[in-house]
Amino acid sequence: MKRIISIFVFALVALVTFQSEARRVPGEKVGVQFDALTYDFGNAAEDGAPVVHEFKYTNTGTGALTLLSARPSCGCTQPKYSRKPLRPGESATIKITFMPKGWKGEVDKDVRLRFKNAAGKSEEITVRLTGVVIPAN
């Protein structure tokens, strides 16, 4: 009987843990909040200017927050950001530039951002650029 109760308790704890992880908001673990995680740039010409967007984020935690790294999904997408720690309540931006040359049709480019807070917790958050590249004639 003890074994059945132990298995039941273990299953219940696993279920509750899984559900709470599934509902977690990106950035909640380290205390960062983004205005938006996705930017749809609409249409861009393949031979046109680069697509540039700045994602704004805010430190919602109680200690310093640092953006440690930004890894783009390919070389056509370049992030630019400050590594300066943000104090609680401060905001910053990460500038993402997408070069459409060589791309045609729908695109979905992401950049994985690694944050770390003062308590030593880290979290990876993905921001995304989407749109359509119109081929050059």
Side-chain angles (χ1 to χ4, degrees):
M1 185 65 166
K2 284 185 180 182
R3 187 174 182 178
I4 293 173
I5 292 173
S6 295
I7 292 171
F8 177 73
V9 169
F10 176 76
L12 184 61
V13 168
L15 180 63
V16 169
T17 302
F18 176 74
Q19 285 181 340
S20 66
E21 265 309 297
R23 291 185 187 146
R24 192 171 55 79
V25 175
E28 185 176 56
K29 180 178 175 184
V30 293
V32 64
Q33 182 176 358
F34 279 80
D35 287 355
L37 293 173
T38 302
Y39 174 68
D40 182 349
F41 60 80
N43 294 332
E46 178 187 8
D47 58 353
V51 173
V52 179
H53 181 70
E54 290 189 5
F55 289 93
K56 181 181 176 186
Y57 60 95
T58 302
N59 179 354
T60 58
T62 58
L65 176 75
T66 305
L67 176 52
L68 299 175
S69 64
R71 293 188 339 261
S73 57
C74 75
C76 65
T77 309
Q78 295 298 316
K80 186 174 181 180
Y81 61 98
S82 172
R83 292 196 165 118
K84 178 185 168 203
L86 291 180
R87 292 187 303 239
E90 287 186 325
S91 296
T93 60
I94 177 164
K95 182 178 179 180
I96 308 292
T97 303
F98 166 65
M99 308 296 227
K101 186 172 178 73
W103 293 93
K104 295 175 179 69
E106 292 184 18
V107 293
D108 186 359
K109 300 297 173 188
D110 62 12
V111 178
R112 289 182 173 85
L113 310 174
R114 172 66 59 186
F115 287 91
K116 186 174 183 180
N117 66 14
K121 293 181 180 180
S122 67
E123 182 175 1
E124 185 174 273
I125 299 166
T126 301
V127 294
R128 181 167 277 117
L129 293 176
T130 62
V132 177
V133 176
I134 308 300
N137 293 331

